[in-house]
């Protein structure tokens, strides 16, 4: 792996911890973004651990260049959980980085071992992801407007993991400010980054986005992001529900938990979208939405960073449509309009 970090102390700590784990070989250490690009092209590491704030060329620009010239899996490391500091990391994800991870605290920190274990697990998993060269966005296709059910769509739920943030942003941008249903979102991400993710979505989409709170009435055109450590759901009265039930499919919040709640509360008036991600979270929940008569969509293989979650839904027969992100907002809007006309 390649380590790109301008801070000597953090670079030394990371290199020592990675070597001490016995799992990783650091083939090079870059001290700025330009070096990171050049060393990635020359050394072809299995994965790059990239600081976001670096001189000469920052982590966002370096990620963009690496994904254009010599794509490899990239993780962006952040030392701060403040929303204003998370935003650059999410921009790097938008350029092709797979995820944001917290930097290691000092070895004397009480949570050093826990953070290190989580970092090493993420590095192992993400190093196996097959990334491709980033191409300019393709033109939007006309999407068939077949109506799957007869109810009026009253709720939209989005679930994603690896590679999800830029896709969710693209969908929200496409829905527009006059969208007439609440949107509930569960995105798997490291603890400490969810609030910054919500702020990033709000700035990028122009929609009101907030971290979900228990008993909040879900308003049309508003976006509610599942908080860390809690499952997100909704009841038949349209109020959000938070739960500390055990993790489902290894996650809390879980996409399947959200989709199941949406299916039970809204039945044929629900539309659920399962996006790129590793594992199978969301597949069973998407099947629930379909079983209750709702509309189900999964991201296609071609555009998924990891086709795990959509593939699991496809295997269950839960996805009525496979679509690219560029087509999803149009499809949702079309379904909303047709359902409104049919009632």
């Amino acid at each position: 792996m390649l380590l790109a970090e301008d801070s000597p102390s953090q670079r030394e700590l990371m290199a020592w911890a990675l070597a001490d784990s016995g799992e990783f070989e650091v083939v090079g250490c870059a001290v700025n973004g330009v070096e990171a690009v050049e060393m990635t092209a020359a050394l072809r590491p299995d994965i790059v651990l990239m600081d976001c704030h670096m001189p000469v060329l920052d982590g966002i620009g370096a990620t963009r260049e690496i994904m254009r010239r010599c794509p490899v899996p990239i993780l962006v490391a952040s030392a701060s959980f403040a929303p204003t500091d998370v935003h650059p990391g999410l921009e790097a994800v938008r350029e092709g980085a797979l995820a944001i991870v917290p930097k290691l605290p000092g070895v004397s920190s009480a949570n050093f071992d826990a953070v290190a274990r989580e970092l090493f697990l993420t590095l192992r998993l993400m190093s196996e992801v097959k990334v491709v060269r980033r191409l300019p966005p393709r033109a939007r296709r006309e999407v068939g407007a077949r109506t799957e059910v007869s109810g009026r769509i009253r709720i939209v739920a989005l679930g994603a993991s690896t590679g999800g943030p830029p896709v969710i942003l693209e969908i929200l941008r496409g829905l527009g400010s006059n969208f007439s249903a609440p949107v509930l979102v569960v995105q798997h991400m490291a603890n400490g980054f969810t609030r910054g993710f919500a702020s990033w979505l709000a700035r990028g989409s122009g929609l009101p986005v907030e971290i979900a709170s228990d008993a909040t009435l879900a308003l049309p055109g508003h976006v509610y992001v599942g908080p860390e450590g809690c499952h997100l759901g909704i009841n038949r009265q349209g109020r959000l529900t938070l739960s500390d039930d055990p993790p489902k499919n290894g996650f809390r919040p879980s996409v399947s938990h959200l989709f199941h709640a949406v299916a039970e509360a809204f039945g044929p008036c629900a539309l659920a979208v399962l996006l790129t991600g590793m594992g199978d979270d969301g597949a069973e929940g998407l099947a629930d939405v379909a079983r209750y008569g709702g509309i189900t969509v999964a991201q296609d293989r071609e555009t998924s960073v990891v086709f795990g979650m959509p593939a699991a839904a496809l295997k269950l027969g839960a996805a009525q449509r496979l679509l690219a992100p560029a087509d999803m907002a149009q499809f949702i809007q079309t379904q909303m309009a047709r359902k409104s006309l049919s009632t």
Side-chain angles (χ1 to χ4, degrees), residues 47-136:
I47 193 166
V48 176
L49 185 58
M50 177 93 68
D51 183 21
C52 201
H53 302 284
M54 291 188 294
V56 187
L57 181 66
D58 64 15
I60 301 169
T63 298
R64 183 187 305 118
E65 284 302 303
I66 289 171
M67 297 308 296
R68 183 179 65 84
R69 293 172 48 183
C70 48
V72 298
I74 298 172
L75 293 183
V76 177
S78 171
S80 172
F81 297 158
T84 54
D85 290 332
V86 169
H87 177 63
L90 284 161
E91 286 300 314
V93 170
R94 192 174 175 184
E95 294 293 344
L98 296 179
I100 310 170
V101 294
K103 288 187 178 182
L104 292 178
V107 291
S108 60
S109 172
N111 65 339
F112 176 84
D113 288 341
V115 174
R117 281 195 302 271
E118 186 65 25
L119 173 61
F120 298 158
L121 174 61
T122 305
L123 284 167
R124 285 197 304 273
L125 293 174
M126 296 305 171
S127 65
E128 299 174 0
V129 173
K130 305 301 181 185
V131 295
V132 296
R133 184 170 283 104
R134 300 283 285 195
L135 300 173

Side-chain angles (χ1 to χ4, degrees), residues 173-184:
R173 276 181 166 172
L175 294 180
S177 58
N178 295 322
F179 191 65
S180 58
V183 180
L184 309 188

Side-chain angles (χ1 to χ4, degrees), residues 233-245:
I234 192 166
N235 62 26
R236 292 178 181 178
Q237 290 71 49
R239 293 193 178 275
L240 303 179
T241 60
L242 299 183
S243 162
D244 60 358
D245 288 348

Side-chain angles (χ1 to χ4, degrees), residues 7 38 97 138 163 211 233:
S7 166
E38 293 174 347
R138 62 185 181 82
I211 300 295

Side-chain angles (χ1 to χ4, degrees), residues 273-299:
V273 183
L274 185 60
L275 302 170
T276 173
M278 191 174 294
D280 60 2
D281 187 31
E284 291 182 357
L286 201 70
D288 287 336
V289 175
R291 191 160 45 246
Y292 278 77
I295 294 175
T296 60
V297 178
Q299 187 171 348

Side-chain angles (χ1 to χ4, degrees), residues 6 10 97 112 132 141 155 180 193 203 214 242 298:
D6 67 307
Q10 180 66 204
F112 176 84
V132 296
R141 297 194 310 260
I155 192 79
S180 58
F193 296 103
R203 286 192 292 266
D214 195 51
L242 299 183

Side-chain angles (χ1 to χ4, degrees), residues 252-268:
R252 189 174 62 198
S254 158
V255 179
S256 274
H257 182 99
L258 170 63
F259 286 176
H260 179 73
V262 164
E264 281 200 326
F266 289 88

